[in-house]
Amino acid sequence: MAEKLIIFDTTLRDGEQSPGASMTREKKIRIARQLEKLGVDVIEAGFAAASPGDFDAVKAIAETVRDSTVCSLARASENDVRRAGEAIKPAKSGRIHTFIATSPIHMKHKLRMNEEEVVERAVAAVRWALEYTDDVEFSAEDAVRSEMDFLVRVFTEVIKAGARTLNVPDTVGYSIPAAWGERIRQLIERVPGSDRVIWSTHCHNDLGLAVANSLSAVMNGARQVECTINGLGERAGNASLEEVVMAVKTRRDVFNLDTRIDTTQIVATSKLVSSITGYPVQPNKAIVGANAFAHESGIHQDGILKHRETYEIMRAEDVGWNANKLTLGKLSGRNALRSRFAELNIEFPNEEAFNAAFQRFKELADRKSEIFDEDLQALASEETVEHINEHYRLVYLRAHSETGILPVAKVVMNIGEKQFDAEMQGGGPVDAAFKAIEKIVDSGTELQLYSVNNITSGTDAQGEVTVRLAKGGRIVNGQGADTDIVVASAKAYLDALNKLCSNAERAHPQV
Ligand code: KIV
Ligand code: ZN
């Protein structure tokens, strides 16, 4: 029988460290449920000590998820570990993941601690964590630039203290596959008691090698891979879950390992994460990109038609492409909509929110002949608790564009209970709409990114817009969806402004 490879998903923690990707509690719960359905073994639900909001989100996920272990990150400090321990208490299976940096550069400049102090703290953190759960993971941050002898010493001590999983991170994405595999092999060989623990790897993608490095670690004995959906994560991101899982599955002849992942849920998970975080997936991205299974060239198409395996090493349906169900139509009733939302793990805070979603569904069905799950996901995102209570809300938009004249947009919006309107010209209708909003709000923000993607195919598809705004060192992504992309853009802009309004302070675990 093949050995098992543990899939540890950190979309909700490392993924959330991507600029502007921070998520609300409700959205994190939606992703966590989907990760559970996908079959990930461990969900790193967040960093509980970052803020009261983060604590609540980890706790809520621990209360909700039953089939995956729920984990919280904690720096190697008593307060962090205890916050993590409290947050995962309701979990059926809970883990604390504690870490401290072990490289000379981090110890000297960031921690200002010597080797003795780092070992002492690592051991203490594992012991504090064991007061809450026997499932304790320890990471040696920046292991890639740590001295081998010191790494061996730290890992030896934390095993003695009771850590069950030892994670070796390439925090800065510096390694190359052969060297990374060799590092893992040597650690397993040199650390006493290494056969009693699971060795794990956590690779960043700064050189585009995160997946290759992770797989090399696996070939050298790692039995847990830390990864994220769509490769989301700090800077260039983490190893992408879908790529790691499909490599191990497709090349079982090489790895001889099994995962618990239901690969048919991969595309749905990717789409959900992309729409919630506002990070679009590039079309040529492996596995989940729109072109990943598209065969353009005539020669390839001919080959595929004659015998599929001439050019395909995986089947699109095995990762959930084409599972895209035509769910509902114009004549569908409230019960049909309610049960489809339930199947998609979408809950509404109250009946009023469901009614509003039903109303929007009917409007959408009037404009769009076929309604898919992705349309419902986008529609539901706008009727969550935080949207209902939002400060800025679009009431009305009119945009006019015509060749030869400057486009103009009129926006009517609510700020709290009051209504305002403005009309502006712009380089295009979207620009005009943004200018009209700014005339009303005067936010002082900087627009860092604007992107539009179609949620499904066809010219009647909803456009999903992401707007990234920055102000005073904070960066947020706003999303909006509509069959009219000017309306979607205005909604995305207001969504970003609403996120900037909620000025919750959060600590970054690694800074
Ligand atoms: O990249 C890293 O080192 C991390 C650790 C906290 C595991 O994210
Ligand atoms: Zn990381």
Side-chain angles (χ1 to χ4, degrees), residues 118-419:
V118 167
V119 174
E120 211 172 283
R121 191 66 88 74
V123 167
V126 170
R127 292 206 177 117
W128 291 316
L130 285 166
E131 291 177 31
Y132 297 86
T133 171
D134 55 8
D135 188 354
V136 176
E137 170 171 336
F138 172 80
S139 281
E141 190 192 5
D142 204 21
V144 68
R145 293 183 295 175
S146 301
E147 277 156 18
M148 197 59 178
D149 288 348
F150 184 55
L151 269 186
V152 169
R153 178 168 164 215
V154 176
F155 281 135
T156 305
E157 293 309 317
V158 294
I159 292 183
K160 282 196 221 147
R164 222 156 74 169
T165 302
L166 300 190
N167 183 39
V168 191
D170 179 359
T171 304
V172 289
Y174 179 68
S175 201
I176 56 170
W180 196 240
E182 180 55 19
R183 183 151 276 237
I184 302 293
R185 194 193 65 73
Q186 280 188 26
L187 283 169
I188 296 177
E189 189 179 280
R190 290 185 52 189
V191 173
S194 64
D195 54 330
R196 286 189 275 117
V197 294
I198 297 286
W199 288 88
S200 166
T201 189
H202 173 116
C203 297
H204 280 269
N205 205 29
D206 299 65
L207 293 174
L209 292 171
V211 170
N213 287 337
S214 304
L215 294 176
S216 179
V218 170
M219 293 186 79
N220 284 280
R223 287 295 174 264
Q224 173 176 286
V225 173
E226 301 199 355
C227 44
T228 57
I229 302 297
N230 301 336
L232 204 65
E234 190 85 39
R235 305 181 311 280
N238 290 62
S240 124
L241 179 147
E242 57 279 6
E243 292 177 24
V244 169
V245 167
M246 289 315 290
V248 170
K249 182 174 164 145
T250 308
R251 298 309 308 270
R252 203 171 181 279
D253 56 326
V254 174
F255 294 99
N256 194 25
L257 291 169
D258 284 331
T259 71
R260 218 170 54 86
I261 298 294
D262 173 358
T263 59
T264 63
Q265 289 295 325
I266 285 179
V267 168
T269 315
S270 160
K271 289 190 175 185
L272 180 67
V273 168
S274 167
S275 94
I276 286 183
T277 57
Y279 271 76
V281 174
Q282 76 197 52
N284 57 332
K285 161 91 174 59
I287 320 291
V288 292
N291 294 351
F293 292 87
H295 296 273
E296 267 301 326
S297 92
I299 299 172
H300 286 204
Q301 284 174 2
D302 182 52
I304 294 274
L305 289 176
K306 286 185 179 134
H307 187 79
R308 173 142 127 171
E309 276 144 37
T310 47
Y311 286 101
E312 266 187 16
I313 56 162
M314 297 167 277
R315 295 186 315 166
E317 51 273 37
D318 289 349
V319 296
W321 283 110
N322 316 329
N324 204 358
K325 281 193 223 128
L326 168 61
T327 45
L328 301 163
K330 214 171 164 169
L331 301 176
S332 308
R334 295 169 59 85
N335 285 345
L337 185 66
R338 202 189 290 278
S339 51
R340 192 64 203 141
F341 275 135
E343 281 163 33
L344 292 171
N345 287 324
I346 296 170
E347 278 170 8
F348 293 93
N350 49 42
E351 200 52 20
E352 204 188 323
F354 173 73
N355 289 340
F358 183 62
Q359 184 56 38
R360 296 220 28 243
F361 162 73
K362 286 286 180 191
E363 286 163 17
L364 185 62
D366 274 340
R367 282 181 284 145
K368 191 172 183 292
S369 48
E370 298 176 323
I371 303 225
F372 295 93
D373 287 348
E374 289 86 343
D375 292 311
L376 297 183
Q377 303 266 22
L379 190 151
S381 291
E382 297 188 12
E383 301 304 334
T384 53
V385 195
E386 57 282 6
H387 275 281
I388 286 165
N389 299 328
E390 68 200 359
H391 188 55
Y392 300 115
R393 206 170 164 94
L394 183 68
V395 176
Y396 167 86
L397 184 145
R398 189 187 64 222
H400 181 84
S401 58
E402 193 179 323
T403 44
I405 61 161
L406 270 183
V408 62
K410 176 173 180 179
V411 169
V412 180
M413 60 182 276
N414 282 349
I415 304 184
E417 301 294 307
K418 283 203 178 140
Q419 198 160 95

Side-chain angles (χ1 to χ4, degrees), residues 78-154:
E78 185 164 357
N79 175 63
D80 270 32
V81 173
R82 296 208 183 281
R83 291 294 281 166
E86 291 301 326
I88 60 144
K89 251 186 194 163
K92 189 167 163 214
S93 161
R95 172 180 296 190
I96 296 176
H97 173 194
T98 185
F99 76 99
I100 192 162
T102 49
S103 62
I105 185 168
H106 275 238
M107 290 192 290
K108 180 169 176 211
H109 299 287
K110 183 176 95 169
L111 299 176
R112 301 207 173 98
M113 285 166 92
N114 62 31
E115 289 189 352
E116 299 307 314
E117 290 166 323
V118 167
V119 174
E120 211 172 283
R121 191 66 88 74
V123 167
V126 170
R127 292 206 177 117
W128 291 316
L130 285 166
E131 291 177 31
Y132 297 86
T133 171
D134 55 8
D135 188 354
V136 176
E137 170 171 336
F138 172 80
S139 281
E141 190 192 5
D142 204 21
V144 68
R145 293 183 295 175
S146 301
E147 277 156 18
M148 197 59 178
D149 288 348
F150 184 55
L151 269 186
V152 169
R153 178 168 164 215
V154 176

